[in-house]
């Protein structure tokens, strides 16, 4: 149980294009999902908290117009990197919490974004 | 400000050589302390959640313990497949279920 998937696992795009990353909870409903960014040999940096049916809460320094998050259902959240630039190249990971009585986050396998 | 410090940054062990990883934390009220394992190019894999000082949890060769200031991840008789980065995270109270992560300990177990 508590399986989270991400798609795609890898994406290469040209500078200026937009990229959408999907995060799905496969065997549970996730009222809250989180999006992280991880640079090589560094820990996870929280970008935003996404609650189903409401606007995402972004961490300080994260541009909400650049990183669009949609959490339209209890099993799907999407992150769209708009007008991507090489500095947006990173490993993006989502996580989900299984219920209201637990704080354990289960992570997806991550998406490697490379912007040329 | 909530802080999580993990030590050592890197640890190399021979197969069968037991050791411990440390996670020191400073939070304004602890909602939970979490241990994850992360393999290169993968997302973190959940290991344990600890909620109160004195609590211990075990899974195969791993045992996690918690005090009021730190947590230890004990690895008994490790195998090469235990090689990974181990991440510690704390959930401060009143933080809308967010986690603050440490920088991790990269463990290498040599055959």
């Amino acid at each position: 149980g508590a399986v989270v998937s991400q798609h795609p696992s890898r994406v290469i795009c040209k500078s200026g294009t937009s990229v959408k990353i999907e995060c799905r909870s496969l065997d549970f409903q996730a009222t809250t999902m989180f999006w992280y960014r991880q640079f090589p040999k560094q820990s996870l940096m929280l970008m935003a908290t996404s609650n189903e049916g409401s606007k995402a809460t972004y961490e300080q320094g994260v541009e909400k117009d650049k990183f669009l998050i949609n959490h339209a259902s209890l099993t799907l959240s999407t992150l769209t990197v708009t007008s991507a630039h090489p500095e947006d190249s990173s490993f993006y990971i989502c996580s989900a919490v299984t219920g209201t009585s637990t704080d354990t986050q289960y992570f997806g396998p991550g998406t490697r974004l490379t912007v040329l | 400000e909530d802080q999580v410090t993990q030590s050592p940054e890197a640890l190399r062990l021979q197969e069968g050589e037991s050791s411990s990883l440390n996670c020191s934390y400073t939070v304004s009220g602890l909602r939970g302390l979490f241990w994850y394992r992360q393999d290169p190019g993968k997302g973190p894999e959940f290991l344990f959640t600890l909620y109160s000082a004195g609590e211990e949890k075990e899974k195969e060769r791993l045992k996690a313990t918690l005090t009021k200031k730190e947590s230890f991840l004990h690895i008994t008789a490790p195998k090469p497949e235990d090689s990974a980065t181990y991440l510690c995270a704390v959930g401060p109270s009143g933080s809308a279920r967010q986690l603050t992560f440490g920088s991790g300990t990269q463990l290498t177990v040599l055959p």
Side-chain angles (χ1 to χ4, degrees):
Chain A
V3 179
V4 178
S5 70
Q6 275 184 249
H7 178 79
S9 57
R10 291 178 179 272
V11 57
I12 301 173
C13 68
K14 292 182 178 180
S15 185
T17 62
S18 294
V19 174
K20 180 185 283 188
I21 302 169
E22 292 187 349
C23 175
R24 293 183 185 271
S25 56
L26 298 185
D27 52 0
F28 64 97
Q29 293 185 330
T31 54
T32 303
M33 288 183 169
F34 301 87
W35 286 95
Y36 293 83
R37 186 172 180 176
Q38 187 175 34
F39 291 103
K41 297 194 182 295
Q42 294 187 25
S43 194
L44 284 74
M45 283 179 38
L46 179 65
M47 298 175 65
T49 301
S50 168
N51 290 297
E52 185 266 338
S54 61
K55 290 184 178 180
T57 303
Y58 291 82
E59 294 300 295
Q60 191 172 13
V62 177
E63 300 175 59
K64 55 184 172 183
D65 293 332
K66 180 166 189 62
F67 299 99
L68 301 179
I69 292 172
N70 183 284
H71 192 163
S73 79
L74 287 171
T75 59
L76 173 64
S77 177
T78 60
L79 168 68
T80 301
V81 183
T82 62
S83 186
H85 291 285
E87 57 266 30
D88 298 323
S89 298
S90 189
F91 192 52
Y92 292 88
I93 314 174
C94 72
S95 70
V97 183
T98 59
T100 55
S101 61
T102 177
D103 293 326
T104 299
Q105 292 184 23
Y106 294 89
F107 286 82
T111 297
R112 172 73 58 192
L113 170 64
T114 303
V115 184
L116 302 177
Chain B
E1 183 180 336
D2 303 322
Q3 285 192 328
V4 180
T5 303
Q6 290 188 246
S7 63
E9 289 186 11
L11 180 63
R12 292 168 69 92
L13 300 173
Q14 290 295 134
E15 185 172 1
E17 180 186 1
S18 302
S19 188
S20 296
L21 312 182
N22 177 263
C23 171
S24 299
Y25 63 90
T26 305
V27 294
S28 53
L30 182 68
R31 205 173 66 244
L33 185 138
F34 305 82
W35 281 98
Y36 290 88
R37 167 192 171 131
Q38 186 175 26
D39 292 302
K42 303 284 181 65
E45 174 190 346
F46 171 70
L47 294 174
F48 304 108
T49 307
L50 301 168
Y51 291 104
S52 56
E55 189 174 359
E56 298 182 352
K57 288 192 176 174
E58 287 188 65
K59 179 181 178 181
E60 297 181 354
R61 295 177 291 281
L62 300 177
K63 179 180 175 180
T65 61
L66 180 65
T67 72
K68 289 186 178 180
K69 295 183 178 180
E70 57 192 349
S71 177
F72 291 93
L73 184 65
H74 307 279
I75 303 177
T76 302
K79 297 182 178 181
E81 52 262 42
D82 294 322
S83 298
T85 295
Y86 290 85
L87 298 169
C88 167
V90 295
S93 58
S95 66
R97 311 166 89 183
Q98 294 172 355
L99 298 180
T100 299
F101 279 86
S103 54
T105 293
Q106 186 175 2
L107 173 67
T108 303
V109 181
L110 304 171

